[in-house]
Amino acid sequence: MSTEPPQPNTARARDDRPAGKGERPVVRRWVAIVIAAVTLVVGGALGYLAAGGPDAPTQLEVVTNLPVVTVPVPASGRTP
């Protein structure tokens, strides 16, 4: 028999982090910040290019023919 004290055989008893199969992967905060920043930069670049890039028109003009609708309104303000 050994005279040494018995060593703990569980991760919790050894103050280690358990590494079981049930653990969910955790994204570190700085990784999430980097991903968000890259997403914003890429989205801004795509929006800039979609708007015409450096050759974007100075004023956008939309021309469409809309039908004219007239509605008679009684002068008294009441509906018949």
Side-chain angles (χ1 to χ4, degrees), residues 1 10 14 21 25 38 51 74:
M1 285 194 124
T10 62
R14 291 189 306 264
K21 292 181 181 178
V38 169

Side-chain angles (χ1 to χ4, degrees), residues 42-57 60:
V42 169
L46 287 176
Y48 175 72
L49 292 175
D55 300 327
L60 200 60

Side-chain angles (χ1 to χ4, degrees), residues 25-79:
V26 177
V27 178
R28 298 205 184 274
R29 182 180 297 175
W30 66 270
V31 173
I33 292 172
V34 168
I35 290 172
V38 169
T39 303
L40 287 173
V41 169
V42 169
L46 287 176
Y48 175 72
L49 292 175
D55 300 327
T58 55
Q59 185 174 357
L60 200 60
E61 185 177 331
V62 178
V63 178
T64 181
N65 295 326
L66 295 175
V68 177
V69 178
T70 56
V71 179
V73 178
S76 65
R78 293 187 299 166
T79 58

Side-chain angles (χ1 to χ4, degrees), residues 15 19 24:
D15 290 332
R24 291 181 280 153

